[in-house]
Amino acid sequence: MPLYRDFSDDNAMILLWKYDEKEELNSQFLVEEENYDKIKDYHPTKMKELLLVRKILKSVLPDHKILYQERTPYLFPNDFEISVTHSFPYAALAISKNKIGIDIEPFNEKIKRIQHKFLHEDEAGFIEEEKEIAYLTVIWSLKESLYKIHHSNYWSLKKHYEVKPFSLDFPFNIQCRVHDEKVSDLYSARVEFFENYCFTIVD
């Protein structure tokens, strides 16, 4: 069983799995019939990520399936909220009674090249220079998690998703906000670290 970490808390079941070459990933058993056309041309690595997520689901809710409304995954029967993330060889699934967003990101200095796309000047103000890559990656990941909970085709990660000041030394109860002229919704987040990755949870 490739369970790597269990990040579950009182609000949600959050399971992170790591791919194991010995693990059987039977697409005929794991992939929902409704998704056959969607996944038929997937790259092998992307297919493994998808199958890992289904394997997690089968281990806890064997009678449920993951379907899509446009590109957004949802659970059927729709009695829980879910969020999905993967970065091979890892995949994770969150199951909750409430809206939840999770994201996994590797630490990579390439993040500095795209910071102008997601980093607001207020957020740049609390980044510790010697830990720049870590802070940028966490902020990016938090905004990706926020997007999974609350998104619009007209919103940008830079303008409409805000991460309040936090410290990497205590990455819990981080305040995040989604806002525009009419909306201002506050969320709480936490960050977990393992190997060369960060894992963000917003609910």
Side-chain angles (χ1 to χ4, degrees):
M1 181 174 173
L3 177 65
Y4 183 75
R5 293 282 177 86
D6 185 340
F7 294 124
S8 303
D9 57 22
D10 293 341
N11 299 317
M13 180 184 297
I14 307 165
L15 303 177
L16 175 70
W17 282 32
K18 185 176 184 179
Y19 176 68
D20 182 343
E21 291 183 357
K22 299 175 185 176
E23 182 73 14
E24 183 179 357
L25 294 175
N26 186 328
S27 60
Q28 291 184 325
F29 172 68
L30 293 172
V31 177
E32 305 83 359
E33 184 177 349
E34 296 90 334
N35 292 326
Y36 285 167
D37 285 344
K38 174 183 173 63
I39 59 93
K40 62 184 179 182
D41 297 323
Y42 272 17
H43 184 278
T45 299
K46 188 173 182 180
M47 178 65 78
K48 288 174 185 174
E49 292 172 338
L50 178 139
L51 294 175
L52 270 177
V53 170
R54 268 60 182 181
K55 196 79 180 282
I56 301 171
L57 179 65
K58 289 288 185 186
S59 75
V60 291
L61 294 174
D63 297 324
H64 285 63
K65 31 184 176 177
I66 296 174
L67 303 179
Y68 296 88
Q69 183 172 6
E70 297 180 352
R71 295 174 57 189
T72 303
Y74 69 92
L75 201 61
F76 181 84
N78 194 9
D79 46 1
F80 293 101
E81 301 286 346
I82 62 166
S83 185
V84 170
T85 186
H86 34 68
S87 179
F88 193 78
Y90 298 98
L93 173 67
I95 302 171
S96 176
K97 281 291 186 183
N98 304 310
K99 288 278 189 183
I100 188 168
I102 60 173
D103 185 66
I104 181 173
E105 298 289 342
F107 293 110
N108 191 315
E109 65 178 13
K110 292 179 181 178
I111 191 95
K112 292 194 286 188
R113 301 179 196 168
I114 63 166
Q115 62 180 291
H116 64 281
K117 296 182 178 180
F118 68 89
L119 187 71
H120 192 274
E121 60 184 19
D122 290 346
E123 295 159 343
F126 64 80
I127 290 177
E128 299 174 56
E129 186 175 351
E130 67 276 11
K131 300 178 182 177
E132 181 183 18
I133 293 172
Y135 271 97
L136 289 173
T137 305
V138 169
I139 292 169
W140 166 265
S141 187
L142 285 168
K143 292 189 177 189
E144 286 287 311
S145 290
L146 273 175
Y147 181 84
K148 292 175 182 178
I149 295 179
H150 200 343
H151 61 269
S152 165
N153 292 334
Y154 305 102
W155 286 346
S156 77
L157 292 182
K158 184 173 184 174
K159 289 178 59 179
H160 300 103
Y161 296 84
E162 177 187 4
V163 178
K164 303 287 189 180
F166 67 92
S167 169
L168 288 177
D169 295 330
F170 189 79
F172 303 98
N173 196 30
I174 299 170
Q175 299 301 295
C176 309
R177 188 168 68 108
V178 181
H179 61 96
D180 65 8
E181 294 80 9
K182 299 178 180 178
V183 172
S184 181
D185 291 338
L186 193 65
Y187 296 89
S188 181
R190 80 180 201 256
V191 184
E192 303 283 354
F193 302 108
F194 62 94
E195 295 186 13
N196 193 45
Y197 290 82
C198 76
F199 186 78
T200 56
I201 302 161
V202 178
D203 56 14

